[in-house]
Amino acid sequence: MDMKRKKELLNEWKNRHPEMGVISISCKPTGNLFLGISKDTRTGYNSHRFQLSVNLHPNKKLQELWDKYGEQEFEYSVVEVLEYENPQDDQTDSLLELLECCLIEMPGAGRI
């Protein structure tokens, strides 16, 4: 690959506009619902799935359910998408506010 193409790809990656928002992981047999923020909802589940599969997830209740029921008994979804302008800006505070709103709307849901 030539340098020009590498620069183009790097520029595209830096300026990408990933979908950010609140994600959920739910346990089908128990109905337990866990919400969290993701700066890239398309890849957000992979990180949690990996942590759960190697028994290193920070949410012990979610880890317990995963160990008991297995990956096939969980569903992943995007609950709310954050609208934002500049992909270079840190959106953490906005994502946390959105998460708090979702937690209020969904009593009984836990945090990822």
Side-chain angles (χ1 to χ4, degrees):
M1 184 181 316
D2 66 11
M3 282 302 276
K4 183 180 177 186
R5 181 65 181 142
K6 283 183 183 180
K7 285 182 181 181
E8 286 173 5
L9 290 173
L10 181 60
N11 193 39
E12 284 176 23
W13 185 83
K14 284 181 179 179
N15 292 316
R16 68 189 179 96
H17 201 97
E19 181 181 83
M20 296 184 192
V22 176
I23 59 171
S24 76
I25 299 176
S26 61
C27 180
K28 293 186 276 187
T30 65
N32 287 81
L33 181 64
F34 301 89
L35 301 179
I37 62 172
S38 177
K39 292 187 177 182
D40 188 344
T41 60
R42 298 188 201 296
T43 61
Y45 182 63
N46 290 337
S47 174
H48 290 287
R49 196 177 93 229
F50 175 76
Q51 289 175 340
L52 289 161
S53 69
V54 295
N55 203 25
L56 292 174
H57 200 277
N59 185 310
K60 298 306 174 199
K61 178 65 177 174
L62 177 56
Q63 184 70 62
E64 223 176 79
L65 292 169
W66 185 274
D67 294 342
K68 182 174 182 176
Y69 296 106
E71 180 178 358
Q72 69 281 358
E73 294 299 329
F74 286 81
E75 291 181 335
Y76 169 82
S77 65
V78 177
V79 176
E80 194 76 41
V81 175
L82 177 70
E83 299 296 326
Y84 65 100
E85 293 296 319
N86 187 351
Q88 305 302 325
D89 292 343
D90 183 12
Q91 303 297 332
T92 304
D93 289 342
S94 298
L95 286 166
L96 290 171
E97 286 177 23
L98 191 59
L99 173 61
E100 289 304 319
C101 291
C102 290
L103 286 168
I104 290 168
E105 291 174 11
M106 299 176 181
R111 289 178 185 252
I112 294 177

